[in-house]
């Protein structure tokens, strides 16, 4: 049986973790693209990424050669050209790392592979997917979750949401949508049913 590749995306605070846990329960391999980016920065595999970032944004690196994330953010925040430059570098190197893992897991006989990426479409990773799933939630629900998760003020949580793409972007781009506005158990059941439908398998 060939490997099924699922792309999962959605704005921050919508609670994709439950869906990802259901994929793991089925033996799926998950690539968290945010975590992969930071892992690459700290590993030999990401040497080319670090070098390209250091060339493009030298002021974002400390004397020890380490990336200063806040400094990088300050360099690109509000500067569309610099943000586009950063995204081009990151999307290229993270994309290559995702593809390497996809090839490896397919060769190993893995049947389910998930790409968790807030920039699934912008990065081009959606093209690798057999189906794309958008996870959405109401604005106030998201604000409460972000405040609790990241220890932010309500104002900061609202600003973070306002800086992201609207729900309509995911509604028009994703093949499947899940709404995570109710209880954890209800969303777990919805995630299970969705995966049953996608994989054509019944899992209790």
């Amino acid at each position: 049986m060939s490997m099924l590749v699922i792309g999962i995306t959605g704005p921050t605070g919508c609670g994709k973790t439950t869906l990802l846990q259901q994929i793991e329960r089925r033996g799926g391999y998950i690539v968290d693209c945010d975590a992969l980016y930071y892992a690459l920065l700290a590993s030999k595999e990401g040497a080319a990424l670090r070098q390209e970032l250091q060339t493009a944004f030298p002021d974002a690196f400390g004397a020890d050669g380490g990336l200063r994330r806040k400094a990088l953010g300050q360099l690109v925040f509000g500067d569309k050209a610099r943000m586009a430059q950063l995204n081009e570098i990151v999307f290229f190197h993270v994309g290559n790392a995702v593809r390497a893992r996809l090839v490896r897991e397919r060769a190993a006989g893995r049947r389910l592979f998930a790409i968790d990426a807030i920039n699934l479409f912008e990065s081009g990773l959606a093209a690798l997917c057999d189906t794309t799933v958008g996870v959405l939630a109401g604005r106030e629900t998201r604000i409460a979750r972000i405040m609790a998760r990241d220890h932010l003020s309500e104002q900061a949580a609202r600003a973070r949401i306002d800086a992201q793409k609207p729900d309509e972007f995911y509604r028009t781009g994703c093949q499947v949508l899940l709404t995570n506005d109710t209880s954890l158990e209800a969303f777990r059941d919805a995630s299970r049913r969705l995966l049953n439908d996608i994989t054509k398998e019944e899992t209790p």
Side-chain angles (χ1 to χ4, degrees):
M1 185 180 195
S2 61
M3 186 170 71
L4 178 68
V5 182
I6 303 174
I8 300 171
T9 190
T12 185
C14 288
K16 296 176 291 182
T17 302
T18 300
L19 174 58
L20 296 170
Q21 289 171 342
Q22 291 299 311
I23 292 172
E24 284 186 325
R25 284 190 61 195
R26 296 166 189 251
Y29 184 92
I30 295 171
V31 176
D32 177 335
C33 288
D34 282 343
L36 177 57
Y37 167 63
Y38 292 114
L40 289 173
L41 287 174
S43 69
K44 184 178 179 180
E45 182 186 4
L49 167 63
R50 285 195 306 278
Q51 181 59 55
E52 197 166 346
L53 286 175
Q54 195 160 14
T55 299
F57 305 98
D59 293 339
F61 285 79
D64 62 353
L67 176 66
R68 297 183 296 137
R69 291 166 57 181
K70 184 175 287 188
L72 179 60
Q74 290 172 342
L75 287 171
V76 302
F77 184 73
D79 188 328
K80 290 184 178 180
R82 295 290 269 168
M83 178 63 81
Q85 183 182 19
L86 173 62
N87 283 339
E88 183 179 4
I89 294 169
V90 173
F91 291 165
F92 175 78
H93 291 282
V94 171
N96 282 347
V98 171
R99 290 176 179 86
R101 284 154 178 76
L102 194 152
V103 169
R104 182 190 69 200
E105 295 302 314
R106 179 175 281 135
R110 185 85 64 172
R111 294 172 64 185
L112 187 59
F113 187 99
I115 302 172
D116 173 16
I118 194 168
N119 291 311
L120 184 72
F121 296 101
E122 301 93 320
S123 64
L125 290 173
L128 302 176
C129 303
D130 297 301
T131 190
T132 54
V133 179
V135 180
L136 300 176
R139 179 180 174 84
E140 297 306 314
T141 299
R142 292 174 59 202
I143 289 169
R145 287 173 179 162
I146 293 169
M147 289 172 63
R149 183 191 68 197
D150 299 335
H151 309 291
L152 295 177
S153 67
E154 181 177 341
Q155 182 180 7
R158 290 184 182 278
R160 183 174 293 185
I161 287 175
D162 290 340
Q164 295 192 333
K165 288 183 171 58
D167 289 358
E168 191 60 28
F169 173 82
Y170 301 99
R171 289 195 181 100
T172 57
C174 295
Q175 294 166 282
V176 181
L177 291 174
L178 274 180
T179 301
N180 185 8
D181 259 338
T182 53
S183 68
L184 174 61
E185 189 56 42
F187 186 62
R188 185 179 292 122
D189 288 343
S191 297
R192 189 181 298 120
R193 289 193 299 271
L194 171 65
L195 291 172
N196 285 345
D197 184 57
I198 292 174
T199 63
K200 305 298 188 273
E201 295 178 356
E202 290 289 336
T203 299

